[in-house]
Each structure stands twice: as C-alpha cells, then as structure tokens.
Amino acid sequence: MTGMWFDDAELGMRFDTARRTVTEADVVNFCGVSGDFHTLHTDAEAMRDSQFGERIAHGALILSMVTGLRGRLNIFGDSLLAFAEIRGWRFLRPVLIGDTIRAANEIVELRPTTKPDRGVMVQRVEVYNQHDVLVQEGEMISLLKRAVPA
C-alpha cells in the first residue's frame, strides 16, 4: 500500500502501525527537548506512592512517537504535501515506561480543496498499549496530492 494518492483513498480504509516500546531513553530525551522534568516523569521514588505507582511517559511524547510510526508506513509516500492539523486529541490513560504502543488509523473524511491538484484527508487515530487498552485518540488531518492525470 505505498504510494497512494488522494484519489486512491477511500472512506473507512484502515491501517495499523508497527508497535514500539517506550524506553527510559525516550523519556529522558523528551524531558531535555521539552524542558518538562516534572516528578511524574522523572522521580521513581515519589511516583511509587502515586495513583500510577510508577513514572509515566509524557502524553506529547506518545503523540510524537505515533506520528513517527505512522510516517514509517509510507502509505502516502510522495503524495503527502503537509501534516495540517491535530484535532480533538485526548490523553485517556497514562502510558508507562516499558509499555508498547501502536496506532490504528481510519480515513473518516475526504474533501477536495479549491486547488484541483490536492485534497484533504482526515484520519481517526486510536493509540493502544500492549494490553489493547485505548490510551490516546483524536484526528490527524493531512493535505495530499491528487493522482497525476495520464
């Protein structure tokens, strides 16, 4: 399914990403980049007595990992013009360091633009952990090229 164009996409089309484990290095690097060194993510001893019982990964770290996993699929290859928007993203449950995540994606809307060479695709994205528990969800909107006329 690589190299699809806007014209190839169909409502209801689904695809899943590979799985990826959230590591200590992911959390440490994200802390450094984001500047968020909150106890939730960095202090194992303090978090042992919390409602989670241990440290949790940053919600935005998981979102960024999911965008990377989706990109690796390369389904839309050369037709992807822009990642336009994240809409209605919700962090439903904590993701722990050591959890393995994956994303299920479904095309829920396709619409042309005022330019005939492109279209907008809306995908519903659901992020699951290794226990198939939904941990994050929302929509990702992309701008795609239309198929080149013959």
Side-chain angles (χ1 to χ4, degrees), residues 4 10 12 19 33 49 71 74 92 96 98 101 115 120 127 139:
M4 289 179 57
E10 297 177 10
R19 298 171 187 270
V33 170
D49 296 327
N74 201 29
L92 302 170
L96 305 174
I101 60 165
K115 296 189 177 188
V120 173
V127 183
E139 293 180 333

Side-chain angles (χ1 to χ4, degrees), residues 123-135:
Q123 294 177 20
R124 170 128 184 92
V125 181
E126 297 175 334
V127 183
Y128 294 91
N129 66 16
Q130 70 274 16
H131 304 293
D132 286 328
V133 172
L134 183 63
V135 295

Side-chain angles (χ1 to χ4, degrees), residues 77-136:
D78 294 332
S79 68
L80 181 63
L81 289 169
F83 180 68
E85 180 183 353
I86 297 172
R87 184 167 54 197
W89 200 263
R90 298 177 351 151
F91 303 99
L92 302 170
R93 288 176 180 74
V95 174
L96 305 174
I97 300 164
D99 280 358
T100 299
I101 60 165
R102 68 176 174 84
N105 306 269
E106 179 180 1
I107 298 174
V108 295
E109 184 180 343
L110 295 164
R111 63 179 184 269
T113 67
T114 56
K115 296 189 177 188
D117 65 336
R118 59 196 66 188
V120 173
M121 175 181 65
V122 179
Q123 294 177 20
R124 170 128 184 92
V125 181
E126 297 175 334
V127 183
Y128 294 91
N129 66 16
Q130 70 274 16
H131 304 293
D132 286 328
V133 172
L134 183 63
V135 295
Q136 294 185 11

Side-chain angles (χ1 to χ4, degrees), residues 6-148:
F6 176 79
D7 304 298
D8 300 323
E10 297 177 10
L11 289 178
M13 188 177 282
R14 297 180 61 89
F15 55 92
D16 287 346
T17 67
R19 298 171 187 270
R20 183 165 181 314
T21 301
V22 182
T23 67
E24 177 72 24
D26 294 326
V27 173
V28 168
N29 289 329
F30 195 82
C31 285
V33 170
S34 69
D36 182 353
F37 292 91
H38 192 280
T39 302
L40 282 169
H41 317 296
T42 60
D43 191 336
E45 191 167 321
M47 290 306 294
R48 192 170 298 120
D49 296 327
S50 75
Q51 64 187 13
F52 306 114
E54 58 188 294
R55 294 177 301 142
I56 63 173
H58 298 74
L61 167 61
I62 304 309
L63 175 58
S64 70
M65 290 172 75
V66 164
T67 59
L69 288 169
R70 287 167 39 87
R72 285 185 194 169
L73 290 172
N74 201 29
I75 289 175
F76 296 97
D78 294 332
S79 68
L80 181 63
L81 289 169
F83 180 68
E85 180 183 353
I86 297 172
R87 184 167 54 197
W89 200 263
R90 298 177 351 151
F91 303 99
L92 302 170
R93 288 176 180 74
V95 174
L96 305 174
I97 300 164
D99 280 358
T100 299
I101 60 165
R102 68 176 174 84
N105 306 269
E106 179 180 1
I107 298 174
V108 295
E109 184 180 343
L110 295 164
R111 63 179 184 269
T113 67
T114 56
K115 296 189 177 188
D117 65 336
R118 59 196 66 188
V120 173
M121 175 181 65
V122 179
Q123 294 177 20
R124 170 128 184 92
V125 181
E126 297 175 334
V127 183
Y128 294 91
N129 66 16
Q130 70 274 16
H131 304 293
D132 286 328
V133 172
L134 183 63
V135 295
Q136 294 185 11
E137 67 180 358
E139 293 180 333
M140 293 188 179
I141 296 99
S142 303
L143 186 63
L144 299 175
K145 292 180 191 174
R146 296 189 77 115
V148 179

